[in-house]
Amino acid sequence: MTSSTPALGTLTAEGSSLQAVLLDMDGTLVDTEDFWWDAESEAFAELGHVLKDEWRQVVVGGPMTRSAGFLIEATQADITVEELTGLLNAKFTERLRRGVPLAPGARRLLTELRLHGVPTALVSASHRAIVDEMLKSLGPEHFDVTIAGDELSRTKPHPDPYLTAARRLGADPARCAVIEDTVTGVAAGEAAGCQVVAVPSVSPIEAAEGRTVVKSLEEVNLAFLRSLVMVPH
């Protein structure tokens, strides 16, 4: 069951204690999950292997090293994780340079958060080089903090990326809203103690305690996010 969204333009919520909004990148703000799968499929085709569609559910939303390791083990391809990571990043970046489609509602939401002075962080499992390339389309001015997957010893589904983002923003994780599109990302946000908004991309995500599921970022605005993080009475 998905939650209903307040009307766009309604910018107040009584008792809200929202301190920051922490946003995933791939599949959430930018429609690039197909880019990653295409890059992975192309890389393994060059190595003489065909990826199975069901493997996509395993690698989506995860850190590069985990995804690369899984695919190497699954295919028995003759390549190291380090070599494959470099190859995938190169192929993905090549696709990014052709243009990055933003998810419906992403630009409006980022603009609204900035307009109202809400601290924001971009929290990605992608490497820093990919994040910086993507910021050219997203606009670096929309984020106070950016976290990349290769900057932490543990990334999603561990809570570390979201805890780090909250700390750098000076925010209490319990008073932060996380926006994610994958089960892995949702797990990271919830483990950090944040309120999570799931916008499923490749795999379905069920609503749960502390988690709200929407169909699109077009259903998300500042009033909606404030309504999720309320001061207890």
Side-chain angles (χ1 to χ4, degrees), residues 1 46 92 105 139 203:
M1 181 177 179
E46 292 173 0
F92 186 75
S203 302

Side-chain angles (χ1 to χ4, degrees), residues 158-183:
H158 298 289
D160 305 34
Y162 285 113
L163 290 174
T164 300
R167 185 175 67 252
R168 291 184 185 175
L169 290 172
D172 176 356
R175 296 175 67 178
C176 293
V178 162
I179 304 179
E180 273 281 359
D181 73 304
T182 66
V183 172

Side-chain angles (χ1 to χ4, degrees), residues 10 30 37 74 81 91 99 103 107 126 128 130 157 163 184 207 217 228:
T10 305
V30 285
W37 185 244
V81 169
K91 288 184 177 298
R107 180 74 67 196
S126 293
R128 170 53 62 183
I130 297 294
L163 290 174
T184 299
L217 286 181
L228 301 178

Side-chain angles (χ1 to χ4, degrees), residues 19-20 32-33 66 103 113 115 124 128 165 170 177 197 201 205 208 219:
Q19 289 184 338
T32 51
E33 293 298 355
R66 189 196 75 183
L113 294 174
L115 178 64
S124 178
R128 170 53 62 183
V197 178
S201 59
I205 299 173
E219 298 181 42

Side-chain angles (χ1 to χ4, degrees), residues 22-95:
L22 318 178
L23 305 106
D24 173 55
M25 187 176 72
D26 291 301
T28 300
L29 291 176
V30 285
D31 189 11
T32 51
E33 293 298 355
D34 285 342
F35 284 28
W36 278 115
W37 185 244
D38 289 347
E40 289 159 347
S41 297
E42 181 180 306
F44 277 92
E46 292 173 0
L47 295 167
H49 299 275
V50 177
L51 300 186
K52 297 181 179 179
D53 287 340
E54 57 262 34
W55 293 344
R56 184 174 183 179
Q57 308 296 326
V58 180
V59 301
V60 66
M64 175 73 75
T65 51
R66 189 196 75 183
S67 299
F70 170 82
L71 292 173
I72 290 171
E73 184 176 352
T75 60
Q76 293 298 299
D78 184 19
I79 190 171
T80 67
V81 169
E82 184 177 5
E83 290 170 338
L84 180 57
T85 296
L87 182 59
L88 292 178
N89 275 330
K91 288 184 177 298
F92 186 75
T93 301
E94 179 184 337
R95 285 164 169 77

